[in-house]
Amino acid sequence: MATITRARRAEIQRESLRIRMRCQRERHTVERTVTEIRTALPEVTRLEAWRLALGWSRAETIEQIANLYRGDRLRPRALTDARLCRWEHDPGEWPDAEYTVMLCRVYGARPEQLGLGERRPALSRYRYRQFHLDPTDGHSPHDQEAPMTTDAGLPAVGESVRLALLAHPDGGALVVDLAEAAVEHYATNYSKHPAALLFEQVREVRQLLTPVMESRAHADAVKRQVGWLSALMGNLAYHLGDSSGARAHLGTAAAYGSRCGDSRLEAWAWGAQSMVARSSGRLADAVAFAEQGAALAPSGLVRAQLHAWALLPALAVSGRGEDADLALATAMTELEGATQAQAPGRFGFDEAELALHRAESYLVLDRGAEGRACAESSVAACLPGTPGWAAASLILAQAEVRDAPQDAEQRGHDVLERVPAARLRSTARARLQQLDARLTARGATSRGLTERLHALPAPIDAHGRATS
């Protein structure tokens, strides 16, 4: 633990107060204030920064925690100023699971925001009717009140499937219905949860369904849902930077889609395989997988998705501009003739996603003006702070490097400020690295972005543990 002198500690207190007051005048969120404090004062840990951003002394924090216990009709535990100080400054000292929950509640933050992500308590410890922050809305609990969120309720979906299997161990219509509901829930709320957490939940439900796949009743229906769960696991593994795991899970999804006659599942799985292959530089495989998925895709929205999401970027990266234009034209035609204009969730598709893939492909094909216009359209259609917004913002930033490098770099910083490091997908990380490389090549970076990227924790550490 590095020693900080008493004079430096006093300077930190004064500077953090100045930053907090400025952020209050500018109506920044608590999280934004934390970011500014830690940027200006690198010695300050995340746990301490949240306290400073709220303007609390350690004694006030301890009293707030005691009030939470009393509000729950429990006797407060004996937390001292010295212990809180050690949690804030000593990397070898950690609060236990119960105190982690209390710190999250009192600061209105998630464990990863407080630097406690590696020892995050099980979500079952977050009791119903207690405040739990919705990580997707960009606000702190001091701005709103919310007694319950999908984050706290996520494990309950798997619990319902387990209860159904206790009543019907060999499967049945109820199990099939709940499995379909679980897939829909995970897919629709995909972007609201940290990838590692959602991966655990999806895997648990797939494990629960595995023993009943060979039952005579509803076997194909259960296998189909196992296939969709495998597809989700493949996409989640990819967003965690685990390409080999993604290939395994997506291969399973394609196999079950073929076995069950679900052409949509099989097509989507091959499209995702193309995405993984493209990110790994296996361009011939990327094109082949995309063509296979596009050929299997049902007409309408699904075929539009496979042409825009898988085939268009694979052809663009391969330098096949004319073929990429044909893929885009097919996507546009299919989208215009589709019975539904868009579908939500991980397996869905809409105009914002189409604009995103067009923008990225145009940049690869050196059509900067077209790429910038499409990226601007995608950004405008996305909710700030979401993964789609981050992707579109970073593509727009890359398009701005040539004519507006300062704007481009600021967009990179904006993504890092709005999206916690533990929630940055592998795709966002790759786009940030590409942005930094382009800025560096033009001599336009201030080194601030480079340093922040070097400081990002890996999504999976050297011991195989997720950092989210």
mmCIF file of all heavy atoms in Angstrom, residues 53 115 119 130 147 155 165 174 199 214 228 244 255 262 291 295 327 361 363 373 388 430 438-440 442 457:
data_model
loop_
_atom_site.group_PDB
_atom_site.id
_atom_site.type_symbol
_atom_site.label_atom_id
_atom_site.label_comp_id
_atom_site.label_asym_id
_atom_site.label_seq_id
_atom_site.Cartn_x
_atom_site.Cartn_y
_atom_site.Cartn_z
ATOM 1 N N ALA A 53 -17.401 12.009 -3.696
ATOM 2 C CA ALA A 53 -18.338 12.583 -4.665
ATOM 3 C C ALA A 53 -19.664 12.957 -4.007
ATOM 4 O O ALA A 53 -20.350 13.886 -4.449
ATOM 5 C CB ALA A 53 -18.574 11.606 -5.801
ATOM 6 N N GLY A 115 -15.215 -0.780 -6.913
ATOM 7 C CA GLY A 115 -13.980 -1.553 -6.885
ATOM 8 C C GLY A 115 -14.107 -2.848 -6.125
ATOM 9 O O GLY A 115 -13.115 -3.458 -5.739
ATOM 10 N N ARG A 119 -15.389 -9.479 -5.614
ATOM 11 C CA ARG A 119 -15.968 -10.149 -4.458
ATOM 12 C C ARG A 119 -17.434 -9.782 -4.322
ATOM 13 O O ARG A 119 -17.963 -9.639 -3.233
ATOM 14 C CB ARG A 119 -15.202 -9.801 -3.199
ATOM 15 C CG ARG A 119 -13.730 -10.140 -3.350
ATOM 16 C CD ARG A 119 -13.018 -10.215 -2.048
ATOM 17 N NE ARG A 119 -11.621 -10.533 -2.240
ATOM 18 C CZ ARG A 119 -10.774 -10.788 -1.262
ATOM 19 N NH1 ARG A 119 -11.190 -10.786 -0.024
ATOM 20 N NH2 ARG A 119 -9.516 -11.050 -1.515
ATOM 21 N N GLN A 130 -35.681 -3.456 -1.237
ATOM 22 C CA GLN A 130 -34.578 -2.569 -0.937
ATOM 23 C C GLN A 130 -34.131 -1.943 -2.232
ATOM 24 O O GLN A 130 -34.266 -2.535 -3.299
ATOM 25 C CB GLN A 130 -33.414 -3.343 -0.311
ATOM 26 C CG GLN A 130 -33.740 -3.865 1.082
ATOM 27 C CD GLN A 130 -32.578 -4.614 1.664
ATOM 28 O OE1 GLN A 130 -31.612 -4.875 0.983
ATOM 29 N NE2 GLN A 130 -32.688 -4.968 2.928
ATOM 30 N N PRO A 147 -37.742 0.413 -6.154
ATOM 31 C CA PRO A 147 -37.692 -0.672 -5.188
ATOM 32 C C PRO A 147 -37.214 -1.987 -5.766
ATOM 33 O O PRO A 147 -36.805 -2.867 -5.030
ATOM 34 C CB PRO A 147 -39.144 -0.783 -4.716
ATOM 35 C CG PRO A 147 -39.942 -0.275 -5.880
ATOM 36 C CD PRO A 147 -39.098 0.806 -6.501
ATOM 37 N N PRO A 155 -32.005 -13.717 -11.207
ATOM 38 C CA PRO A 155 -31.918 -15.123 -10.790
ATOM 39 C C PRO A 155 -33.268 -15.796 -10.620
ATOM 40 O O PRO A 155 -33.364 -17.024 -10.683
ATOM 41 C CB PRO A 155 -31.173 -15.046 -9.448
ATOM 42 C CG PRO A 155 -30.510 -13.716 -9.439
ATOM 43 C CD PRO A 155 -31.408 -12.814 -10.213
ATOM 44 N N LEU A 165 -39.479 -27.837 -13.025
ATOM 45 C CA LEU A 165 -38.892 -29.172 -13.205
ATOM 46 C C LEU A 165 -39.111 -30.053 -11.978
ATOM 47 O O LEU A 165 -39.185 -31.280 -12.098
ATOM 48 C CB LEU A 165 -37.400 -29.039 -13.499
ATOM 49 C CG LEU A 165 -37.081 -28.548 -14.914
ATOM 50 C CD1 LEU A 165 -35.607 -28.176 -15.033
ATOM 51 C CD2 LEU A 165 -37.435 -29.622 -15.943
ATOM 52 N N LEU A 174 -45.568 -27.103 -19.373
ATOM 53 C CA LEU A 174 -45.194 -26.013 -18.486
ATOM 54 C C LEU A 174 -43.694 -25.731 -18.579
ATOM 55 O O LEU A 174 -43.266 -24.567 -18.632
ATOM 56 C CB LEU A 174 -45.567 -26.354 -17.048
ATOM 57 C CG LEU A 174 -45.129 -25.331 -15.972
ATOM 58 C CD1 LEU A 174 -45.760 -23.971 -16.231
ATOM 59 C CD2 LEU A 174 -45.490 -25.842 -14.578
ATOM 60 N N PHE A 199 -24.253 -14.629 -18.371
ATOM 61 C CA PHE A 199 -23.741 -15.928 -18.824
ATOM 62 C C PHE A 199 -24.010 -17.006 -17.769
ATOM 63 O O PHE A 199 -24.444 -18.119 -18.098
ATOM 64 C CB PHE A 199 -22.239 -15.816 -19.102
ATOM 65 C CG PHE A 199 -21.633 -17.061 -19.689
ATOM 66 C CD1 PHE A 199 -21.484 -17.201 -21.066
ATOM 67 C CD2 PHE A 199 -21.197 -18.104 -18.878
ATOM 68 C CE1 PHE A 199 -20.926 -18.351 -21.607
ATOM 69 C CE2 PHE A 199 -20.640 -19.250 -19.409
ATOM 70 C CZ PHE A 199 -20.500 -19.378 -20.777
ATOM 71 N N GLU A 214 -34.130 -35.574 -23.634
ATOM 72 C CA GLU A 214 -34.431 -36.854 -24.281
ATOM 73 C C GLU A 214 -35.774 -37.439 -23.859
ATOM 74 O O GLU A 214 -36.092 -38.568 -24.210
ATOM 75 C CB GLU A 214 -33.311 -37.863 -23.976
ATOM 76 C CG GLU A 214 -31.950 -37.432 -24.489
ATOM 77 C CD GLU A 214 -31.948 -37.195 -25.993
ATOM 78 O OE1 GLU A 214 -32.692 -37.871 -26.719
ATOM 79 O OE2 GLU A 214 -31.195 -36.313 -26.441
ATOM 80 N N TRP A 228 -31.255 -22.108 -28.382
ATOM 81 C CA TRP A 228 -31.279 -20.651 -28.241
ATOM 82 C C TRP A 228 -30.455 -20.203 -27.030
ATOM 83 O O TRP A 228 -29.777 -19.171 -27.074
ATOM 84 C CB TRP A 228 -32.716 -20.149 -28.108
ATOM 85 C CG TRP A 228 -33.447 -20.092 -29.412
ATOM 86 C CD1 TRP A 228 -34.472 -20.889 -29.818
ATOM 87 C CD2 TRP A 228 -33.194 -19.182 -30.490
ATOM 88 N NE1 TRP A 228 -34.883 -20.534 -31.083
ATOM 89 C CE2 TRP A 228 -34.116 -19.486 -31.528
ATOM 90 C CE3 TRP A 228 -32.295 -18.154 -30.700
ATOM 91 C CZ2 TRP A 228 -34.153 -18.801 -32.729
ATOM 92 C CZ3 TRP A 228 -32.318 -17.456 -31.900
ATOM 93 C CH2 TRP A 228 -33.236 -17.773 -32.897
ATOM 94 N N SER A 244 -12.845 -18.582 -28.479
ATOM 95 C CA SER A 244 -12.921 -20.044 -28.610
ATOM 96 C C SER A 244 -14.174 -20.585 -27.936
ATOM 97 O O SER A 244 -14.842 -21.486 -28.461
ATOM 98 C CB SER A 244 -11.666 -20.688 -28.020
ATOM 99 O OG SER A 244 -11.512 -20.343 -26.650
ATOM 100 N N ALA A 255 -26.091 -26.592 -34.458
ATOM 101 C CA ALA A 255 -26.413 -28.019 -34.543
ATOM 102 C C ALA A 255 -27.833 -28.295 -34.062
ATOM 103 O O ALA A 255 -28.581 -29.058 -34.701
ATOM 104 C CB ALA A 255 -25.408 -28.821 -33.719
ATOM 105 N N ASP A 262 -35.220 -25.513 -36.894
ATOM 106 C CA ASP A 262 -35.432 -24.096 -36.613
ATOM 107 C C ASP A 262 -34.442 -23.295 -37.467
ATOM 108 O O ASP A 262 -33.300 -23.031 -37.060
ATOM 109 C CB ASP A 262 -35.207 -23.811 -35.129
ATOM 110 C CG ASP A 262 -35.640 -22.411 -34.704
ATOM 111 O OD1 ASP A 262 -35.634 -21.516 -35.574
ATOM 112 O OD2 ASP A 262 -35.965 -22.214 -33.524
ATOM 113 N N GLU A 291 -22.526 -16.376 -45.525
ATOM 114 C CA GLU A 291 -23.290 -16.863 -46.685
ATOM 115 C C GLU A 291 -24.174 -18.038 -46.289
ATOM 116 O O GLU A 291 -25.320 -18.135 -46.754
ATOM 117 C CB GLU A 291 -22.326 -17.267 -47.800
ATOM 118 C CG GLU A 291 -21.635 -16.084 -48.462
ATOM 119 C CD GLU A 291 -20.621 -16.492 -49.504
ATOM 120 O OE1 GLU A 291 -20.135 -17.650 -49.438
ATOM 121 O OE2 GLU A 291 -20.298 -15.668 -50.379
ATOM 122 N N ALA A 295 -28.278 -17.867 -46.446
ATOM 123 C CA ALA A 295 -29.020 -18.827 -47.256
ATOM 124 C C ALA A 295 -30.111 -19.526 -46.450
ATOM 125 O O ALA A 295 -31.156 -19.908 -46.998
ATOM 126 C CB ALA A 295 -28.054 -19.860 -47.835
ATOM 127 N N ALA A 327 -25.106 -7.050 -50.877
ATOM 128 C CA ALA A 327 -25.630 -7.558 -49.602
ATOM 129 C C ALA A 327 -26.473 -6.493 -48.912
ATOM 130 O O ALA A 327 -27.543 -6.784 -48.359
ATOM 131 C CB ALA A 327 -24.473 -7.986 -48.705
ATOM 132 N N SER A 361 -19.094 -0.615 -42.172
ATOM 133 C CA SER A 361 -18.665 -1.145 -43.466
ATOM 134 C C SER A 361 -18.193 -0.033 -44.388
ATOM 135 O O SER A 361 -17.200 -0.184 -45.115
ATOM 136 C CB SER A 361 -19.815 -1.928 -44.118
ATOM 137 O OG SER A 361 -20.183 -3.037 -43.318
ATOM 138 N N LEU A 363 -16.783 2.743 -43.508
ATOM 139 C CA LEU A 363 -15.464 3.178 -43.070
ATOM 140 C C LEU A 363 -14.383 2.218 -43.566
ATOM 141 O O LEU A 363 -13.306 2.650 -43.999
ATOM 142 C CB LEU A 363 -15.410 3.274 -41.543
ATOM 143 C CG LEU A 363 -16.191 4.410 -40.888
ATOM 144 C CD1 LEU A 363 -15.948 4.415 -39.389
ATOM 145 C CD2 LEU A 363 -15.803 5.752 -41.479
ATOM 146 N N ALA A 373 -22.383 9.779 -41.782
ATOM 147 C CA ALA A 373 -23.817 10.061 -41.779
ATOM 148 C C ALA A 373 -24.601 8.910 -41.164
ATOM 149 O O ALA A 373 -25.528 9.127 -40.361
ATOM 150 C CB ALA A 373 -24.289 10.323 -43.208
ATOM 151 N N GLY A 388 -25.434 -0.317 -27.710
ATOM 152 C CA GLY A 388 -25.641 0.162 -29.069
ATOM 153 C C GLY A 388 -25.164 1.589 -29.246
ATOM 154 O O GLY A 388 -24.556 1.939 -30.271
ATOM 155 N N ALA A 430 -12.426 -3.164 -28.616
ATOM 156 C CA ALA A 430 -11.709 -3.199 -29.893
ATOM 157 C C ALA A 430 -11.869 -1.887 -30.645
ATOM 158 O O ALA A 430 -10.904 -1.365 -31.233
ATOM 159 C CB ALA A 430 -12.224 -4.367 -30.743
ATOM 160 N N ARG A 438 -5.892 5.194 -34.621
ATOM 161 C CA ARG A 438 -6.075 6.178 -35.696
ATOM 162 C C ARG A 438 -5.658 7.575 -35.235
ATOM 163 O O ARG A 438 -5.035 8.326 -35.988
ATOM 164 C CB ARG A 438 -7.535 6.193 -36.147
ATOM 165 C CG ARG A 438 -7.960 4.914 -36.864
ATOM 166 C CD ARG A 438 -9.326 5.061 -37.498
ATOM 167 N NE ARG A 438 -9.740 3.833 -38.172
ATOM 168 C CZ ARG A 438 -10.725 3.750 -39.049
ATOM 169 N NH1 ARG A 438 -11.421 4.840 -39.363
ATOM 170 N NH2 ARG A 438 -11.043 2.608 -39.607
ATOM 171 N N LEU A 439 -6.021 7.921 -34.003
ATOM 172 C CA LEU A 439 -5.621 9.224 -33.482
ATOM 173 C C LEU A 439 -4.102 9.320 -33.352
ATOM 174 O O LEU A 439 -3.493 10.344 -33.681
ATOM 175 C CB LEU A 439 -6.277 9.464 -32.122
ATOM 176 C CG LEU A 439 -7.784 9.755 -32.142
ATOM 177 C CD1 LEU A 439 -8.365 9.642 -30.737
ATOM 178 C CD2 LEU A 439 -8.066 11.141 -32.717
ATOM 179 N N THR A 440 -3.492 8.245 -32.880
ATOM 180 C CA THR A 440 -2.034 8.231 -32.716
ATOM 181 C C THR A 440 -1.339 8.345 -34.066
ATOM 182 O O THR A 440 -0.332 9.060 -34.206
ATOM 183 C CB THR A 440 -1.589 6.944 -32.001
ATOM 184 O OG1 THR A 440 -2.232 6.868 -30.720
ATOM 185 C CG2 THR A 440 -0.088 6.916 -31.809
ATOM 186 N N ARG A 442 -2.276 9.888 -36.606
ATOM 187 C CA ARG A 442 -2.372 11.261 -37.101
ATOM 188 C C ARG A 442 -1.692 12.250 -36.151
ATOM 189 O O ARG A 442 -1.725 13.464 -36.383
ATOM 190 C CB ARG A 442 -3.839 11.659 -37.280
ATOM 191 C CG ARG A 442 -4.537 10.910 -38.410
ATOM 192 C CD ARG A 442 -5.927 11.478 -38.655
ATOM 193 N NE ARG A 442 -5.899 12.889 -39.035
ATOM 194 C CZ ARG A 442 -5.685 13.332 -40.268
ATOM 195 N NH1 ARG A 442 -5.470 12.472 -41.244
ATOM 196 N NH2 ARG A 442 -5.683 14.639 -40.533
ATOM 197 N N PRO A 457 -9.207 -2.829 -16.919
ATOM 198 C CA PRO A 457 -9.008 -4.244 -16.569
ATOM 199 C C PRO A 457 -9.518 -5.139 -17.689
ATOM 200 O O PRO A 457 -10.469 -4.799 -18.387
ATOM 201 C CB PRO A 457 -9.856 -4.406 -15.300
ATOM 202 C CG PRO A 457 -10.926 -3.361 -15.436
ATOM 203 C CD PRO A 457 -10.293 -2.196 -16.143
#
